[in-house]
Amino acid sequence: MNKNYYITTPIYYPSARPHMGHAYSSIIADFFARFKKIDGYKVYFLTGTDEHGLKIQRAAEKQNKDPKSFCDEISKTFENLSKSLNLSNTDFIRTTEDRHKKSVQNLWNILEKNKQIYLSKYSGWYSVSDEAFYNEDEVEEKDELKIAKSSGSIVEWVEEESFFFKLSEWQKPLLEFYDKNKNFILPESRRNEVISFVKGGLKDLSVSRKTFSWGIKVPSDENHVVYVWLDALTNYLSSLKYPDENNNLFKNFWPADLHIIGKDILRFHAIYWPAFLLAANIEPPKRVYGHGWILSGDMKMSKSKGNILDPLEIINNYGLDSLRYYLLKEVSFGNDGNISEEKLENCINSDLANNFGNLCQRVLSFAEKNCSSIIPKHDFNNDDLVILNSLKDLSKIRSFIDNQDINQYMSFIVDRLFASNKYFNDQEPWKKKNDKLRLYTIVYTAIELIRKISIILYPVMPQTCIKVLNTFNIKEDYIDLSSLENDDFLKEKLKISKLDILFKKIDK
Ligand code: MSP
């Protein structure tokens, strides 16, 4: 069985500081990466910044900066955000790095050699904000401005010499590819969207620009820079040291297992990207998941709309793990979702302080008083085994992850947390002072439940779960999903160290 796993976030435009939408894509990817890691996989997790193109050039000009130093500055804020989000990424790639330029130019040369690129003239609509070309029927007029119907961003008329990629030739192979790889695009609604778009016919795609210079030069014609999406998508290969296809990174990790992206960039990942790769005789990625947007009210959160929520501020005020938990549980994965401080506070109180935090605190303080904080002996009865068994179905838990069903994964956790609190209540260990073995067994079972739930919750809230698991002397590197199958993992007489309050209830 192949135990390597390659997962990516989109690479972010450093045109402005990061916001909650960016944090969302990254947290989702980190969740999957961490799960795979505790399930014994070697994980390669890539994130980074997408630094070329007119959008960045203009943003830099606005501040009277040259694009490279402008990017250096803002890319740093994304790298710092990765740290603030506690991402477990293996690499952080910047498209202005030489290793990336080399990959892009190499891919270009192969496409040219395979007769997939020709020189012609582009005339049509272009949105700098989306870095996308639009057909006449994808554009409408609003307040005397031409805008793209899908994103609402302003488009401008472009007429220039351009290299084209023969995308039209890939309509049939792409449809065959989607058909053979039914789960290449998820969720299903987005897959249907893409298929109907491709069925409607594909036009050749302009893949170079000539009227500005902030990009990677086309190797065969230095007057052109490579279209920023062909440049950007290639990051997924360059981090693996492509074009050196014999190096171990490329051999072990390509094709990528999962590209996590927002729904706004689906067309690039689900149509252009596999087409470029097929045309260059490189295997396409295994899956592209297009998540929904984080809304503010009912609008997409974005810099241009001025409605952004700063993830760093939220982390400072409420803690990182609360934010991670909220985004993973309260935003239905695949759909749009909302975040507000009020909703976050409600979630912290009900799920984290009252449910998970409460379970840990009451069980461990009971163990302190009644078992001197030492893992006691046990003799399970049927009630104990039933609840412990409900946390060992690895194939069910793995299938949530492999289907990217975060919603079910989170409901499973919440359900097991309620059940564990209920178990402790119903068993009433405080009434068993005359039956020490039963009291000890209830404590042992409850602690095992905390251990198991903390392992499943680790990909969601790594820092918090490490704290909990450390009290049982389980260190991060030894967190192992398969230990869920073991109901008496914890050794008798082990000293339980002190656990501080995990989540404070917020007064409202
Ligand atoms: N640079 C391109 C991606 C290139 S990948 C080869 C890009 N950058 S972006 O900074 O504009 O967006 C990066 C990601 O953030 C996208 O997946 C986008 O969907 C996501 N989000 C940006 N705003 C968002 C929300 N308000 N909500 C959720 N995610 C959104 O596109």
Side-chain angles (χ1 to χ4, degrees):
M1 191 175 131
N2 176 9
K3 278 276 199 176
N4 292 323
Y5 191 78
Y6 182 23
I7 182 163
T8 65
T9 73
I11 48 170
Y12 303 103
Y13 288 128
S15 51
R17 303 174 72 78
H19 62 69
M20 198 56 84
H22 304 132
Y24 183 62
S25 291
S26 289
I27 287 172
I28 297 290
D30 188 58
F31 162 77
F32 288 116
R34 285 182 186 271
F35 180 93
K36 286 291 175 181
K37 217 175 248 172
I38 62 169
D39 199 16
Y41 284 74
K42 258 207 184 103
V43 175
Y44 198 89
F45 170 20
L46 177 65
T47 186
T49 43
D50 179 1
E51 307 190 3
H52 291 128
L54 201 47
K55 179 179 173 113
I56 302 292
Q57 182 172 311
R58 287 193 184 159
E61 277 162 6
K62 244 189 176 163
Q63 294 193 16
N64 283 325
K65 291 189 176 141
D66 75 280
K68 180 61 171 53
S69 34
F70 175 79
C71 287
D72 287 347
E73 214 175 281
I74 304 194
S75 175
K76 200 80 218 149
T77 65
F78 278 91
E79 217 174 331
N80 290 342
L81 179 71
S82 304
K83 293 189 183 116
S84 308
L85 297 175
N86 191 17
L87 301 190
S88 56
N89 56 304
T90 327
D91 190 9
F92 185 97
I93 193 154
R94 298 183 55 188
T95 55
T96 45
E97 290 176 74
D98 281 343
R99 57 174 173 154
H100 175 70
K101 285 185 200 163
K102 204 171 95 185
S103 286
V104 171
Q105 290 184 327
N106 189 81
L107 184 62
W108 181 282
N109 287 337
I110 293 180
L111 291 173
E112 229 175 41
K113 198 177 90 210
N114 289 357
K115 308 219 170 343
Q116 292 295 318
I117 284 180
Y118 64 92
L119 190 63
S120 183
K121 192 173 165 205
Y122 178 78
S123 53
W125 298 105
Y126 191 78
S127 155
V128 176
S129 168
D130 306 342
E131 294 284 19
F133 300 96
Y134 287 109
N135 298 332
E136 195 61 54
D137 61 346
E138 295 176 300
V139 166
E140 65 186 355
E141 200 162 307
K142 198 177 166 198
D143 303 330
E144 291 177 22
L145 286 171
K146 286 275 191 190
I147 59 165
K149 287 182 195 164
S150 56
S151 62
S153 52
I154 295 172
V155 294
E156 48 195 72
W157 187 255
V158 168
E159 266 189 44
E160 64 190 36
E161 184 188 72
S162 172
F163 285 98
F164 281 78
F165 169 71
K166 293 183 183 166
L167 185 63
S168 57
E169 286 187 357
W170 291 95
Q171 178 186 14
K172 207 165 151 251
L174 279 174
L175 290 170
E176 281 164 12
F177 175 75
Y178 303 144
D179 193 46
K180 256 201 227 131
N181 301 279
K182 292 271 186 296
N183 291 324
F184 170 63
I185 306 163
L186 283 181
E188 206 184 326
S189 55
R190 305 226 200 286
R191 168 186 151 82
N192 297 337
E193 217 177 273
V194 168
I195 292 179
S196 72
F197 182 83
V198 175
K199 278 189 176 155
L202 295 174
K203 290 208 303 194
D204 288 351
L205 177 72
S206 164
V207 283
S208 76
R209 299 289 316 261
K210 204 181 175 181
T211 45
F212 66 92
S213 59
W214 181 237
I216 297 177
K217 291 203 182 330
V218 168
S220 52
D221 185 343
E222 302 230 320
N223 294 316
H224 289 253
V225 293
V226 177
Y227 171 42
V228 64
W229 272 99
L230 174 53
D231 167 345
L233 289 160
T234 308
N235 90 88
Y236 303 132
L237 296 177
S238 27
S239 175
L240 301 183
K241 300 201 174 142
Y242 174 84
D244 175 9
E245 292 189 36
N246 291 321
N247 84 78
N248 281 336
L249 281 182
F250 192 85
K251 275 206 288 214
N252 292 338
F253 292 103
W254 193 259
D257 292 275
L258 182 58
H259 290 318
I260 292 289
I261 57 160
K263 62 180 181 181
D264 48 331
I265 55 175
L266 190 63
R267 196 181 289 185
F268 306 98
H269 283 81
I271 303 175
Y272 301 169
W273 185 221
F276 294 148
L277 291 167
L278 289 169
N281 311 108
I282 301 172
E283 209 178 325
K286 293 184 198 149
R287 184 164 302 168
V288 172
Y289 194 104
H291 64 65
W293 286 336
I294 303 296
L295 305 176
S296 166
D298 56 5
M299 286 219 305
K300 182 186 178 208
M301 201 177 279
S302 76
K303 158 94 183 344
S304 50
K305 298 198 175 72
N307 59 0
I308 62 174
L309 203 57
D310 182 352
L312 293 178
E313 230 169 80
I314 296 289
I315 293 169
N316 277 339
N317 294 342
Y318 298 98
L320 169 65
D321 280 353
S322 305
L323 173 65
R324 291 178 61 117
Y325 183 91
Y326 179 92
L327 290 174
L328 285 155
K329 159 144 188 281
E330 299 293 327
V331 178
S332 151
F333 192 49
N335 299 316
D336 293 348
N338 246 283
I339 180 167
S340 67
E341 295 198 39
E342 196 193 347
K343 286 186 174 172
L344 179 60
E345 288 178 0
N346 290 340
C347 170
I348 293 173
N349 284 350
S350 66
D351 285 41
L352 299 180
N354 284 352
N355 210 354
F356 182 50
N358 180 46
L359 177 71
C360 295
Q361 245 73 48
R362 66 193 295 215
V363 170
L364 295 186
S365 65
F366 189 84
E368 188 182 349
K369 285 192 197 104
N370 296 279
C371 315
S372 319
S373 289
I374 302 266
I375 300 283
K377 54 186 168 190
H378 62 277
D379 179 18
F380 294 139
N381 71 14
N382 196 45
D383 287 350
D384 312 328
L385 288 172
V386 166
I387 189 150
L388 287 166
N389 271 326
S390 73
L391 278 156
K392 61 162 45 151
D393 187 348
L394 290 184
S395 62
K396 179 167 92 179
I397 297 172
R398 286 184 180 126
S399 83
F400 294 153
I401 295 295
D402 290 335
N403 298 324
Q404 284 76 49
D405 200 341
I406 299 183
N407 305 336
Q408 288 241 45
Y409 188 91
M410 296 307 291
S411 318
F412 174 72
I413 293 176
V414 174
D415 180 68
R416 290 302 84 204
L417 278 171
F418 274 117
S420 302
N421 268 313
K422 182 171 184 315
Y423 164 87
F424 202 65
N425 276 343
D426 292 352
Q427 295 296 324
E428 301 181 311
W430 44 88
K431 289 190 181 161
K432 305 282 181 324
K433 303 240 160 132
N434 294 328
D435 180 357
K436 278 280 184 271
L437 183 58
R438 186 62 205 143
L439 180 148
Y440 289 157
T441 304
I442 297 166
V443 171
Y444 187 93
T445 306
I447 292 179
E448 269 295 333
L449 293 173
I450 293 175
R451 177 188 70 86
K452 289 186 182 215
I453 291 175
S454 301
I455 291 175
I456 310 175
L457 257 178
Y458 164 81
V460 183
M461 300 195 291
Q463 288 167 344
T464 305
C465 295
I466 291 167
K467 253 195 238 166
V468 177
L469 291 168
N470 279 351
T471 63
F472 315 131
N473 205 21
I474 300 170
K475 301 283 181 262
E476 186 173 13
D477 287 348
Y478 294 91
I479 300 176
D480 176 3
L481 191 76
S482 66
S483 71
L484 293 183
E485 284 183 321
N486 194 341
D487 291 332
D488 45 9
F489 179 89
L490 290 168
K491 298 280 163 282
E492 208 182 303
K493 298 206 174 102
L494 177 96
K495 177 87 188 151
I496 306 166
S497 41
K498 188 136 187 77
L499 182 68
D500 294 331
I501 302 259
L502 294 175
F503 300 97
K504 288 206 184 76
K505 213 165 161 176
I506 299 165
D507 286 332
K508 301 189 55 133

